[in-house]
Amino acid sequence: LGRCRERLARGGVLVVLDLFKEETLRDFAVSAAAAALNPLVRLANTGRARAGADERAAWAAHSAQDRYLTLRELRALAGRELGAFELERKLFWRYLLVYEKPCAD
């Protein structure tokens, strides 16, 4: 985040949409709702309620090395690296972080 902030032009906007790790009761409640809705959204988008075996294997291989931060960890990291930012929890295990670099330093 610090390198992104440094390379961002004045007035530029950094947008991060990524996954987070559940930590709080609210996180787990939102995840439960997402788990219930996920097959319906997939069905509407792809015509199938569940990912195929190849897609599941690719996701497992991709995510084996990933370490997701909790929203608390993200807030602390972004606060140190960016200063002012917006962080919003989204459905389906995602968060949206938005940072606008000031026009003047």
Side-chain angles (χ1 to χ4, degrees):
L1 287 177
R3 281 187 273 161
C4 290
R5 178 186 40 77
E6 290 169 5
R7 288 172 170 76
L8 196 61
R10 290 181 179 151
V13 178
L14 171 66
V15 178
V16 178
L17 178 66
D18 203 357
L19 302 173
F20 71 91
K21 180 180 175 184
E22 299 103 329
E23 177 181 41
T24 67
L25 185 58
R26 182 173 182 212
D27 293 341
F28 287 105
V30 171
S31 290
L37 291 173
N38 202 35
L40 298 173
V41 172
R42 177 180 292 281
L43 182 64
N45 289 332
T46 68
R48 297 182 355 203
R50 187 169 183 219
D54 290 345
E55 185 179 346
R56 289 192 310 272
W59 178 254
H62 168 76
S63 62
Q65 302 297 320
D66 290 347
R67 180 186 174 276
Y68 301 114
L69 300 176
T70 65
L71 292 174
R72 180 178 48 82
E73 292 170 325
L74 287 161
R75 282 187 191 94
L77 175 63
R80 281 192 312 271
E81 298 295 330
L82 302 175
F85 64 93
E86 294 179 27
L87 182 66
E88 183 179 337
R89 173 199 328 260
K90 297 292 186 183
L91 194 56
F92 301 116
W93 308 279
R94 290 172 177 81
Y95 69 88
L96 177 67
L97 183 146
V98 179
Y99 165 75
E100 184 174 351
K101 190 169 186 175
C103 291
D105 289 329

